[in-house]
Amino acid sequence: MEWIELAPRHKYGLPIATPFLPAAGTIGYSDEAWDWLDYRLLGALITHPVSWHPRSAAAPPRVVTRGTGFIIHTGLPNPGLPAVIRHHQEAWKRLKLPVIVHLIATTPEETARACETLTQVTSVAGVELGLADGTRPAQALAHLAAAQASGLPVIVRVPFRQVDDLAPALARAGADALTLTAPPRGLLPTGRGVHLRGRLFDPALLPLTLQTVAYWASRLEVPILACGGISSLEDAQACLEVGAVAVQGDALLWRDSRWLGGGQPGAPPTAPSAPESQESGVNP
Amino acid sequence: MPRHQTLTLRELRPAPPFWLAACEAALAPGAGQYLLVDFGGPLREAVFPAQLTAEGFLCAVPVGHPLARSLPGASFPAYGPLGRGFRLDEVTRLLLVAEATSWPLVQPLFTAGAEVVLVLEALTRTQLPSMTQLPPNVEVMVLTRDGSLGQMGYLEQSDSPLRELVRWAERVALACDPERYPALAALVREVRLHPLPDFAQALVQGPMPCGMGVCDVCRITIQGRERLSCVEGPVFDLLEWG
């Protein structure tokens, strides 16, 4: 079996068995989607976005649909990293998947603290830094440096509108991989006299994702994970063909997981064990 | 355990202000539970039963809903049943409380008690269903904001008939706007000295795209604590609100 290496420049690497991953925020922190999704099909688990401190949910309405897509704004509620670790680290061990914790990049200090804490969790294989829209290059590099200090493999999810500004700088600064891209921000009327500003999910984003991945895959020497508008195996394949090493599926996983194929959801996990180098090297 | 299944539309008839769709499903949701159905839109929709049948269930959908625009025989991918529904043991005196836009959600409970009273609130009489749609074993009390039918007023007011009925009931099931639940919980606390857990059960209806508690769209705040309607509800103990 051929492993896909998400962090070839990292001393221990981040190998995954299949190129399909759930995007942050789509299947929860650990095994919440166990009855719904066959985890054996996933190369890794990317967790729900987590911040160091607890965050509350945004006020409703939180979702508006239009055509084939929708805008969602939840405020990324979460109980804070210490509570997430407490509640989910046992499940992470049972999943037998590399666990990549998606960290909401709030301040470099909190990023450093969170990553340092994660090095104590043996089942965590890496982190994905979720940069906020409008993050300046200097801020992005400060977050990256803070995360790298932990020694964990670091993937950075780049905001949709800032790929040109951030991706080359992050690659040069040693990001192990880049996720291109975070969902774009949009605005839609809710029908109640207010507008909802939030993340846009739509299959129509696929051409933009393909264009972005195709352009940067040949120019950057880091693995690229494609994210945005992937709604079928063919879409995923197209992303791999233009240079992505792996893909992240997002809201489609809420519609039907069976398009991924595979076995019966809820079946015991039989994903192959990670190679020794990963087992021993994730948390130096 | 929820499972993938197919929802098939068997019959459609108008029941103003809704359309009533007879649906066939291998595993029908119980009262207060739901199926997540893929109607071809970007997100799945929660479908609640209005009445359970031998083949499946009836559900009430608004005009323009994908089911209301489909032909009998149309089928849709579905997943469920999901959620924590109404929890009623053998009840003699059951009180149902609903708004005109949500009363089908308590309709499966029409046969759940020996004596059933339904309190319906509407802005005006044109929002209300025809009383012929309601079975004879259900006693109906109507409140309209403009007084066009029944008593003029609203559920939480000081002389609401709800107060006397809450004293009478063994169980209460509600389907209202969740913003009203704190006031309704206070009303229950006023007239019942020490109600048992689940004495009054309140359904929270809203978008629940994922059904597994991961998308955060259905989060509600009850007494400062965030809860997930799709997995912890959608039926909650009303007294958690106050």
Side-chain angles (χ1 to χ4, degrees):
Chain A
M1 165 180 214
E2 196 170 328
W3 290 80
I4 298 159
E5 182 52 74
L6 290 187
R9 299 195 294 185
H10 188 269
K11 56 184 173 181
Y12 300 115
L14 206 175
I16 58 174
T18 78
F20 189 85
L21 296 83
T26 51
I27 66 166
Y29 298 103
S30 57
D31 56 0
E32 293 93 326
W34 193 253
D35 292 337
W36 169 250
L37 179 67
D38 186 349
Y39 277 60
R40 293 172 297 188
L41 302 169
L42 305 178
L45 169 74
I46 298 184
T47 68
H48 196 288
V50 189
S51 50
W52 178 260
H53 294 290
R55 283 168 68 121
S56 299
R62 301 190 185 104
V63 65
V64 181
T65 60
R66 184 177 188 274
T68 56
F70 62 93
I71 277 185
I72 191 167
H73 176 58
T74 61
L76 302 179
N78 72 88
L81 183 66
V84 168
I85 292 172
R86 219 168 32 246
H87 293 141
H88 296 280
Q89 60 180 341
E90 289 305 315
W92 288 341
K93 284 180 198 164
R94 287 197 302 271
L95 288 177
K96 296 183 180 173
L97 276 176
V99 174
I100 299 170
V101 174
H102 181 99
L103 287 176
I104 303 168
T106 48
T107 64
E109 294 72 30
E110 285 188 3
T111 297
R113 194 175 177 189
C115 291
E116 191 53 40
T117 304
L118 287 170
T119 60
Q120 310 303 316
V121 186
T122 54
S123 46
V124 172
V127 295
E128 183 184 60
L129 276 180
L131 299 178
D133 287 77
T135 301
R136 293 191 302 276
Q139 288 176 301
L141 295 178
H143 279 291
L144 176 62
Q148 284 172 321
S150 68
L152 288 169
V154 182
I155 302 167
V156 184
R157 191 169 79 164
V158 183
F160 181 81
R161 288 188 180 177
Q162 291 170 275
V163 178
D164 293 358
D165 294 339
L166 299 182
L170 288 164
R172 276 196 304 272
D176 291 299
L178 298 177
T179 300
L180 301 180
T181 66
R185 312 286 294 184
L187 186 74
L188 274 178
T190 62
R192 302 180 198 174
V194 292
H195 292 77
L196 183 69
R197 190 186 303 273
R199 292 165 282 149
L200 171 65
F201 294 89
D202 196 322
L205 293 173
L206 181 71
L208 302 177
T209 301
L210 289 172
Q211 162 70 14
T212 305
V213 171
Y215 182 83
W216 288 109
S218 59
R219 287 167 173 78
L220 300 177
E221 291 182 356
V222 294
I224 289 178
L225 289 77
C227 182
I230 296 164
S231 58
S232 67
L233 285 177
E234 290 73 25
D235 294 351
Q237 187 63 39
C239 291
L240 298 177
E241 285 166 5
V242 298
V245 299
V247 300
Q248 295 186 6
D250 46 43
L252 181 86
L253 291 172
W254 299 339
R255 279 188 60 178
D256 198 339
S257 61
R258 289 173 298 175
W259 64 276
L260 275 171
Q264 173 65 34
T270 56
S273 303
E276 282 305 309
S277 61
Q278 187 210 18
E279 289 282 331
S280 59
V282 168
N283 299 315
Chain B
M1 183 174 162
R3 70 180 205 196
H4 291 283
Q5 51 181 315
T6 299
L7 181 83
T8 305
L9 177 64
R10 287 296 172 214
E11 190 189 344
L12 194 65
R13 60 175 186 271
F18 302 104
W19 283 85
L20 206 54
C23 297
E24 194 176 293
L27 270 179
Q33 287 187 303
Y34 62 98
L35 287 182
L36 277 178
V37 185
D38 187 349
F39 291 114
L43 293 170
R44 294 177 298 167
E45 288 184 37
V47 171
F48 289 85
Q51 192 178 321
L52 303 176
T53 64
E55 299 78 28
F57 62 96
L58 302 180
C59 65
V61 294
V63 175
H65 188 276
L67 264 182
R69 296 188 311 233
S70 301
L71 293 171
S75 59
F76 307 92
Y79 186 70
L82 294 164
R84 195 161 171 259
F86 288 107
R87 303 164 293 279
L88 301 173
D89 310 322
E90 289 187 9
V91 180
T92 307
R93 300 183 303 278
L94 176 62
L95 172 61
L96 308 176
V97 183
E99 295 163 341
T101 51
S102 59
W103 72 269
L105 298 171
V106 295
Q107 194 178 346
L109 303 176
F110 282 177
T111 54
E115 298 171 52
V116 180
V117 174
L118 170 65
V119 178
L120 262 179
E121 189 207 87
L123 287 175
T124 186
R125 64 181 302 167
T126 54
Q127 288 187 325
L128 291 164
S130 161
M131 293 303 141
T132 58
Q133 290 182 40
L134 304 173
N137 70 307
V138 177
E139 184 179 337
V140 184
M141 295 196 70
V142 171
L143 289 161
T144 51
R145 296 279 180 135
D146 63 359
S148 54
L149 190 69
Q151 184 174 332
M152 184 174 174
Y154 53 95
L155 294 169
E156 306 91 331
Q157 68 188 23
S158 56
D159 61 342
S160 167
L162 207 52
R163 292 174 183 276
E164 188 54 40
L165 288 167
V166 169
R167 278 191 202 100
W168 163 84
E170 281 175 42
R171 282 279 194 275
V172 186
L174 304 97
C176 301
D177 183 339
E179 289 187 5
R180 305 181 72 177
Y181 287 150
L184 290 166
L187 184 151
V188 172
R189 293 255 186 226
E190 275 174 40
V191 299
R192 300 286 295 222
L193 276 181
H194 191 61
L196 292 170
D198 278 342
F199 164 73
Q201 300 170 29
L203 191 148
V204 175
Q205 192 186 22
M208 295 185 282
C210 76
M212 50 189 166
V214 300
C215 72
D216 290 322
V217 167
C218 68
R219 271 182 192 259
I220 55 165
T221 304
I222 304 176
Q223 293 281 54
R225 189 172 158 220
E226 289 192 353
R227 311 284 296 274
L228 292 162
S229 288
C230 67
V231 289
E232 295 178 70
V235 177
F236 295 89
D237 188 336
L238 176 72
L239 299 177
E240 289 186 35
W241 270 274

